[in-house]
Amino acid sequence: MNDVVRVLIVDDSAFVRKSVRQMLARSPFLEVVGVARDGDEALEQVEALRPDVVTLDLHMPRSDGLDFLKRQMARRPVPVVVLSAAGEGDELAVRALEAGAVEVVQKPTALATEKVFEVADRLIATVKAVAAARLTPVARGPLPGAPLPGAAPKAKRADVLVIGVSTGGPQALKHLVPRFPADFPVPIAIVLHMPVGYTELFARSLAAVARVAVSEAREGDPFRPGAALVAPAGHHLTCARQRDGTVAARLSLHPLDTPHRPAVDVLFRSAAEVYGGRALGVVLTGMGSDGTQGAAWIKAQGGRVLTEAESSCVVYGMPRSVAEGGLSDRAVPLDRMAEAILEAL
């Protein structure tokens, strides 16, 4: 890939096309090489222009974004960033992520607010990161057949599994979680960076293919074996020991100074404080360094941390940060992560 990332903007709105172009122009390392107004035109433009990244609207006339995505990924995978209206909770966006899009970012609106620069910075960082994404012709999905045998040894060595993931996360989780057996021996808590309005939809989608119970976390939900709680976008997820010895979910806006809410660091630190050395942390694909400080807390308490190997990451950012910090006990390709988790238990 060249030093300058070449971007194709796909949106039927002239305002959005202009706004996205202006936002990307703030970076000297990004170049908009073309625009398209629907999925059919986008297919033609990708073939003619060979962009490094496509920004994609989903709701378009004639051929919509999801149709383009499926056809393009079957033809030649290209990193796709979905632009979605803030908080719209569009199920189509979740389906797009599962079909191979690597990220969802809030699209610019007609309102001039203090968040415009924040949205622009997020979009620029995302486009830069996904330009080097590793993609396969077929989007990741649950593996066929039975889950890995042998749910767990009788004497398990961890009491909770906490997972952190960002860019490429929906595909990675759809690949990993269905491999867990229904009698998975410990509670599972997941932080996935997604815009507000999408985590509940994704949790339901994941539950449909998983053998463990999956749901978006609510205040007071019990941490129980065989169940996975997905942190809701906009709230940190932590765990709290109750008077009867059980552990329950806590949701909070605090701390306010984290780059992401929910943050992997916050969940991992909470797990380390509540479960001590019997916490197992897993950091999967994602841009940035969220999870590194949390991994340090888990390690300091005597727990263990697994990271996804570079070879299978869509974006090798979060796992790299943990590994380079000397905090990873083992780097594991996604295809072997479920087995490695069960071995660690």
Side-chain angles (χ1 to χ4, degrees):
M1 185 185 68
N2 297 327
D3 291 337
V4 175
V5 177
R6 304 171 73 253
V7 185
L8 173 68
I9 299 170
V10 183
D11 202 297
D12 64 320
S13 165
F15 167 78
V16 173
R17 293 196 301 270
K18 178 181 178 181
S19 298
V20 172
R21 184 188 287 273
Q22 290 175 339
M23 287 183 173
L24 296 180
R26 296 179 62 207
S27 170
F29 302 104
L30 303 179
E31 176 189 3
V32 176
V33 295
V35 298
R37 295 161 183 80
D38 60 42
D40 289 336
E41 188 178 352
L43 286 169
E44 296 172 359
Q45 292 288 66
V46 169
E47 190 64 26
L49 300 173
R50 298 278 169 157
D52 299 310
V53 178
V54 174
T55 68
L56 181 66
D57 180 34
L58 294 176
H59 298 277
M60 296 180 292
R62 296 204 303 163
S63 174
D64 66 15
L66 186 60
D67 178 63
F68 158 76
L69 187 62
K70 291 178 178 178
R71 292 160 68 190
Q72 183 61 52
M73 288 303 176
R75 175 188 295 179
R76 183 177 65 84
V78 61
V80 173
V81 177
V82 170
L83 297 186
S84 172
E88 69 180 7
D90 189 352
E91 188 173 354
L92 203 61
V94 174
R95 291 169 60 192
L97 288 168
E98 295 167 354
V102 292
E103 189 66 281
V104 175
V105 175
Q106 178 182 337
K107 69 166 57 178
T109 67
L111 299 177
T113 71
E114 67 278 3
K115 288 191 174 183
V116 168
F117 290 114
E118 179 184 329
V119 171
D121 290 343
R122 171 68 175 165
L123 178 60
I124 289 170
T126 300
V127 169
K128 287 180 180 178
V130 305
R134 293 174 179 84
L135 303 176
T136 55
V138 179
R140 290 185 182 129
L143 295 181
L148 292 169
K154 291 183 179 179
K156 64 182 185 294
R157 292 178 291 165
D159 289 333
V160 70
L161 169 64
V162 285
I163 300 174
V165 63
S166 184
T167 312
Q171 304 100 303
L173 292 171
K174 274 291 187 77
H175 185 98
L176 174 65
V177 176
R179 308 247 8 229
F180 295 154
D183 59 346
F184 196 78
V186 303
I188 305 165
I190 300 169
V191 162
L192 166 65
H193 297 157
M194 293 185 90
V196 172
Y198 291 97
T199 42
E200 182 180 5
L201 292 169
F202 176 72
R204 290 207 304 261
S205 177
L206 184 58
V209 295
R211 294 171 174 88
V212 296
V214 181
S215 61
E216 185 184 54
R218 297 171 299 179
E219 179 72 20
D221 278 350
F223 273 54
R224 56 186 179 86
L229 296 178
V230 179
H235 289 80
H236 293 299
L237 171 62
T238 60
C239 44
R241 184 77 65 179
Q242 308 300 294
R243 290 183 178 180
D244 61 2
T246 61
V247 176
R250 291 287 179 264
L251 303 179
S252 177
L253 297 177
H254 297 276
L256 297 174
D257 59 350
T258 58
H260 303 280
R261 191 188 308 128
V264 181
D265 285 331
V266 172
L267 173 63
F268 278 23
R269 175 172 178 171
S270 174
E273 292 173 341
V274 171
Y275 290 94
R278 299 185 69 82
L280 173 62
V282 172
V283 179
L284 302 176
T285 177
M287 57 185 281
S289 60
D290 190 18
T292 302
Q293 293 182 4
W297 275 90
I298 290 177
K299 295 290 292 181
Q301 295 297 319
R304 282 160 299 152
V305 176
L306 304 178
T307 52
E308 184 177 350
E310 182 177 4
S311 60
S312 66
C313 282
V314 172
V315 175
Y316 187 57
M318 286 163 47
R320 180 200 293 274
S321 180
V322 174
E324 290 183 348
L327 302 168
S328 175
D329 291 289
R330 184 180 173 191
V332 186
L334 187 62
D335 280 341
R336 287 185 47 80
M337 184 60 78
E339 181 181 353
I341 289 171
L342 291 172
E343 287 173 359
L345 292 176

